[in-house]
Amino acid sequence: MDCCGHHALTRRHWMWGTVLASLGAMLGASAGRDAAAAQSADDAAAARDVLRRFISVDVHSHGGTTGIISMAAPNDDLATGMRAGSLAVACLADVPDGPVLGRNAAGVLGATRTPGPGELYKYHLNRLAWMDEMVARHGLRRVHTAAELEAAHAAGQPAIVADVEGLDFLERKLERLEEAHQRGVRHVQLVHYTPNDIGDYQTGAVTHDGLTSFGAEAIQACHKLGLVCDVAHATEDTVKQAVKVATKPLLLSHTAIADSKAMGPTPLRGRQVSRDHARAIAETGGSIGIWHFFPSLDKYVDGLKEMVDVVGVDHVSIGTDQQIARGSVQTYDQWAQLVAAMLRGGFTPDEAGKIAGGNYLRIFRSAVG
Ligand SMILES: [Zn+2]
Ligand SMILES: [Zn+2]
């Protein structure tokens, strides 16, 4: 699972990063400032080089403050930000249960009412139409195959993978999954914040003891159609049962390790995952995306390292979840700075390339073709 002892290797890099930071602190103030400026120019150049050599993918996004969950009309903001930060691909997620979501007193999202029959399906179709308009008029291409992903990166054209966060629109009708695929969707998440017939989710009451038999059928349908199967938000039991059913790598697109020191105390604790939960995903050949809810880019990198220390560098990705709440990658023009922070934090260019996109490309190629 942890291919070729990455743990020892990556830990050594972290140590070197610390030594370099201490040396920097020992330099005189003005010399330190000059050195810091030169260093930051070097970091930026190194990050751009990584982003040229390796495809980069935000494995879970809503496209920023004017994105798909906002009330904004389709617009150029996403493509403009991606170009500025050299992000190749965003998995742009429609949120079918959006109309029933709200925050409780602690600021935690949840369903506030039971949706009416067909209500979430109708809203999901409306959001797919919004996505069509983004692709038709606002500088993004939608990719359907691994070859198209790589071609978009090679051409320097920002691309989206059409993604759906929660199969709450299915209402037990798998033909709606097929319809989503026909509409260009290539990535779906099984559960979100609304009780459904698929399985239990982390922030809700346990009602199914994990994955249902319909949930197992939905995973098999994902494999058959060619959809990345994302188990973010699912309980550990649901995930472990999904791992038994899955014959392709699974993605868990946005989370952090349980009790993450890099995040600190957070109302999102119920959405973090245990070490066993993370290892179950890695065992499928999959990857765990780390969201951007950290106080700084350097802390974000610490959050990536926390997960790498558990599952290895081949099983960690970046899934910002922007812009569900403020985080350390507010807009995509910061993407290159995130990669620079990864290099500064001790990741090699190859490791940064895997986390920034290579691991997702592997999963996408296996699931979608
Ligand atoms: Zn989410
Ligand atoms: Zn999300």
Side-chain angles (χ1 to χ4, degrees):
M1 173 180 78
D2 301 331
C3 325
C4 30
H6 282 296
H7 287 195
L9 187 65
T10 47
R11 284 225 171 89
R12 194 176 67 233
H13 291 312
W14 313 157
M15 282 167 50
W16 275 110
T18 311
V19 171
L20 290 173
S22 316
L23 278 175
M26 283 157 62
L27 293 171
S30 130
R33 267 197 303 278
D34 291 348
Q39 186 60 47
S40 104
D42 286 354
D43 287 352
R48 296 283 173 185
D49 189 51
V50 166
L51 291 167
R52 261 192 303 277
R53 285 172 56 208
F54 302 97
I55 193 165
S56 61
V57 184
D58 186 345
V59 306
H60 185 76
S61 174
H62 303 291
T65 51
T66 57
I68 192 160
I69 58 171
S70 73
M71 289 297 119
N75 56 75
D76 292 341
D77 295 355
L78 181 54
T80 304
M82 289 175 72
R83 279 184 198 282
S86 298
L87 170 62
V89 180
C91 298
L92 183 64
D94 143 36
V95 179
D97 64 347
V100 300
L101 296 186
R103 287 186 191 275
N104 68 16
V108 179
L109 268 177
T112 56
R113 63 179 173 84
T114 303
E119 180 186 2
L120 303 188
Y121 176 54
K122 193 172 160 201
Y123 178 69
H124 155 74
L125 291 180
N126 169 292
R127 292 293 86 188
L128 290 187
W130 187 97
M131 223 185 276
D132 289 345
E133 176 82 12
M134 282 289 273
V135 169
R137 298 183 209 287
H138 298 285
L140 291 165
R141 42 167 108 169
R142 177 166 41 203
V143 291
H144 306 88
T145 63
E148 287 180 18
L149 270 178
E150 292 183 293
H153 174 236
Q157 282 212 347
I160 60 164
V161 169
D163 182 2
V164 181
E165 181 163 24
L167 293 181
D168 303 305
F169 67 98
L170 285 189
E171 296 171 297
R172 296 190 79 90
K173 296 183 174 68
L174 282 176
E175 59 271 25
R176 289 182 182 172
L177 196 58
E178 192 172 345
E179 179 190 33
H181 183 269
Q182 281 164 4
R183 294 287 301 269
V185 171
R186 290 295 181 270
H187 177 153
V188 296
Q189 183 181 305
L190 301 178
V191 296
H192 195 217
Y193 284 113
T194 300
N196 69 19
D197 295 322
I198 290 174
D200 294 320
Y201 58 100
Q202 288 174 303
T203 48
V206 170
T207 56
H208 302 299
D209 291 324
L211 189 74
T212 65
S213 56
F214 178 67
E217 281 178 48
I219 293 172
Q220 284 153 355
C222 286
H223 292 348
K224 189 160 162 255
L225 287 166
L227 293 160
V228 171
C229 182
D230 187 341
V231 294
H233 287 259
T235 62
E236 186 164 343
D237 280 347
T238 304
V239 166
K240 287 184 172 169
Q241 290 165 33
V243 164
K244 289 196 181 122
V245 172
T247 54
K248 304 269 171 99
L250 294 174
L251 180 75
L252 196 169
S253 63
H254 54 299
T255 188
I257 201 72
D259 298 317
S260 162
K261 287 194 176 61
M263 281 188 81
T266 169
L268 289 166
R269 193 169 181 276
R271 281 277 294 104
Q272 296 175 338
V273 297
S274 73
R275 280 147 182 80
D276 268 5
H277 189 151
R279 286 187 196 108
I281 298 296
E283 278 165 15
T284 69
S287 191
I288 299 125
I290 305 299
W291 55 33
H292 75 143
F293 305 119
F294 295 90
S296 67
L297 287 179
D298 289 333
K299 288 285 182 195
Y300 194 176
V301 173
D302 288 344
L304 296 170
K305 289 180 191 176
E306 287 172 337
M307 192 59 85
V308 168
D309 282 343
V310 176
V311 293
V313 77
D314 292 305
H315 304 287
V316 178
S317 299
I318 295 168
T320 63
D321 203 11
Q322 68 147 287
Q323 190 67 312
I324 210 87
R326 287 187 68 80
S328 55
V329 182
Q330 281 295 104
T331 54
Y332 282 129
D333 51 13
Q334 289 172 282
W335 188 263
Q337 293 167 39
L338 172 61
V339 173
M342 289 166 72
L343 298 173
R344 199 164 61 233
F347 286 107
T348 66
D350 281 3
E351 290 169 343
K354 286 178 178 186
I355 294 170
N359 292 336
Y360 183 82
L361 180 60
R362 178 188 74 232
I363 293 167
F364 191 92
R365 185 176 282 123
S366 171
V368 178

